[in-house]
Amino acid sequence: MTNNNLLPQDAHQATLIGRVWWPKIAAPCLVLARPDGIYDATPVAATSADLMAQDAPAEAIHAAFAAGKLPKIADLSAVQGHAACESLAGGAAAHLHWLAPCDLQAIKAAGVTFVASMLERVIEEQARGDAARAAGVREAITQVIGENLRALKPGSAQAMQVKALLIERGMWSQYLEVGIGKDAEIFTKSQAMSAVGTGAQVGIHPESHWNNPEPEIVLCVSPSGQVQGAALGNDVNLRDVEGRSALLLGKAKDNNASCAIGPFIRLFDAHFSIEDVRQCDLAMQVTGNDGFEMQGASSLKMISRDPLDLVAQTLHASHQYPDGFMLFLGTMFAPTQDRHGPGSGFTHAVGDVVRISTPLLGCLTNAVNTSDKVAPWTFGVRDLMRSLATRGVL
């Protein structure tokens, strides 16, 4: 990983909020990232959640920077990559390196928001987590569904007609329910402060033998429901575990380093808006130590539910988020490329490097390990509060 491909293509006009592990204070620090370096943003807000709760965070950051109130921490080139991030455990890291740009926010995710991924979820369920059975199940389901769902509006009368047809043919699924029904699937992906940043290892549960990365856009939402910006995300997916039973969703989704967010939250301003998010095309590359390489893509243009509808289905009169939340929007990427022989499908190997990128958000890079071998998560909310109090920024 280099910092040259870290930044968006228009970095000179982007408002990029990140977090770094700063050895000088042995704690995380909120920063403004610019092509010429990273700047301490805590004079504006002590935490990422505090900044995102403001009415106009981009304006506040720009005003403070213009007034010279954000001291420079280091040149961008001084921030380390993979090796530094692997050493983060209990605040003992010795190098300046990237963390996830969120902290106290809840980490939520929307599932089955694209037709392609919805079909793959049905395949997981019908195959009972067995990758070898997936090809046959995929062919049978396609014969019934074809491409008819691509233009369906979830919850519409037409969608309900398709639902009735599938029930009649004995092929209804819980995944089709949230894919074309009125209610989106919104779940808790991971805990606050548990996401890893760019350069860190992501974790695959050691019992999983069928899994894949999921390249996604992640919205940053304030406690009032205002979308403040967006980041890249990798919602690591254990297809065999979730395929065995939807009741294993917690085991499939919430493990050490089971999601990466970053490299920054790009704040909405005059140069970046929710409309840019709706037009985002994500590219993904997986490179293995075994010489295997896979290319993937996901386009927000193909999403079946509007991002703002997913936000409204997350935060409403029945559920508030006083610290705000990060919302993974789902992916249309569902790999079927065989890796270990015909019919085997794709699964990760330890050492894979995953790169997720889009021109306006930069590049999120992570290596793959098992969740019992990645650096343990030991720096939590209590540690963060103590470090902020010591710095006198609370």
Side-chain angles (χ1 to χ4, degrees):
M1 186 187 76
T2 68
N3 288 309
N4 292 330
N5 60 15
L6 185 78
L7 300 174
Q9 65 180 13
D10 61 340
H12 65 285
Q13 63 181 12
T15 310
L16 304 173
I17 299 301
R19 290 170 65 247
V20 296
W21 182 264
W22 193 6
K24 178 180 176 180
I25 61 173
C29 182
L30 186 71
V31 298
L32 169 68
R34 294 168 52 87
D36 65 331
I38 56 172
Y39 295 80
D40 183 358
T42 51
V44 178
T47 66
S48 174
D50 285 329
L51 178 63
M52 303 307 164
Q54 297 186 21
D55 290 335
E59 292 180 16
I61 284 289
H62 285 300
F65 181 79
K69 295 180 179 179
L70 307 186
K72 187 174 181 179
I73 292 176
D75 291 337
L76 202 64
S77 60
V79 188
Q80 301 295 308
H82 295 300
C85 289
E86 293 168 11
S87 67
L88 177 57
H95 302 284
L96 184 69
H97 60 265
W98 300 109
L99 302 174
C102 52
D103 43 42
L104 303 181
Q105 297 96 327
I107 302 176
K108 308 292 289 187
V112 202
T113 53
F114 292 82
V115 170
S117 64
M118 176 181 65
L119 296 180
E120 286 302 313
R121 293 296 184 276
V122 175
I123 290 166
E124 289 169 14
E125 182 182 53
Q126 296 289 327
R128 296 294 187 268
D130 182 356
R133 296 177 55 193
V137 175
R138 187 177 295 109
E139 181 179 357
I141 289 177
T142 301
Q143 288 177 356
V144 174
I145 298 175
E147 298 295 325
N148 293 333
L149 297 180
R150 188 171 296 277
L152 284 183
K153 180 180 179 180
S156 67
Q158 184 185 21
M160 295 306 98
Q161 292 174 356
V162 173
K163 175 179 177 179
L165 173 64
L166 291 169
I167 290 175
E168 179 184 335
R169 297 195 179 190
M171 297 194 72
W172 184 245
S173 161
Q174 60 193 343
Y175 296 110
L176 290 169
E177 176 66 44
V178 296
I180 65 175
K182 68 180 182 66
D183 296 317
E185 179 193 15
I186 305 291
F187 60 93
T188 297
K189 166 60 186 180
S190 192
Q191 312 308 308
M193 293 191 64
S194 68
V196 299
T198 194
Q201 292 182 333
V202 288
I204 301 293
H205 195 288
E207 294 181 11
S208 175
H209 302 288
W210 186 23
N211 46 68
N212 61 265
E214 291 194 337
E216 304 190 24
I217 296 291
V218 187
L219 296 183
C220 178
V221 187
S222 76
S224 66
Q226 180 177 346
V227 182
Q228 305 286 37
L232 293 170
N234 183 358
D235 175 6
V236 178
N237 182 34
L238 309 186
R239 302 188 71 177
D240 46 1
V241 175
E242 186 176 352
R244 294 200 334 257
S245 171
L247 299 182
L248 293 174
L249 184 65
K251 182 172 184 175
K253 291 294 186 180
D254 188 3
N255 299 292
N256 283 348
S258 60
C259 71
I261 300 175
F264 316 104
I265 295 169
R266 180 167 184 174
L267 296 180
F268 288 166
D269 55 20
H271 306 289
F272 184 65
S273 70
I274 189 65
E275 189 55 38
D276 291 301
V277 170
R278 291 187 177 110
Q279 299 301 314
C280 271
D281 291 323
L282 301 182
M284 189 191 68
Q285 179 186 50
V286 178
T287 306
N289 291 331
D290 56 357
F292 177 86
E293 186 170 314
M294 179 177 67
Q295 305 286 339
S298 184
S299 174
L300 264 290
K301 302 185 191 79
M302 302 296 293
I303 199 167
S304 58
R305 299 181 191 269
D306 186 75
L308 294 186
D309 174 54
L310 294 172
V311 171
Q313 293 208 40
T314 306
L315 187 152
H316 42 74
S318 298
H319 202 318
Q320 293 78 48
Y321 293 86
D323 295 312
F325 61 94
M326 306 296 292
L327 179 62
F328 282 79
L329 293 180
T331 185
M332 65 179 287
F333 174 72
T336 58
Q337 181 177 343
D338 291 336
R339 184 171 193 175
H340 300 295
S344 66
F346 170 83
T347 194
H348 267 308
V350 169
D352 282 353
V353 175
V354 182
R355 295 178 178 88
I356 298 169
S357 62
T358 192
L360 295 182
L361 293 175
C363 183
L364 174 67
T365 303
N366 300 97
V368 174
N369 205 338
T370 54
S371 56
D372 58 334
K373 298 292 178 59
V374 300
W377 175 36
T378 60
F379 191 96
V381 173
R382 292 180 302 143
D383 299 289
L384 178 61
M385 294 299 106
R386 279 192 287 265
S387 72
L388 294 173
T390 299
R391 295 179 63 191
V393 296
L394 281 182

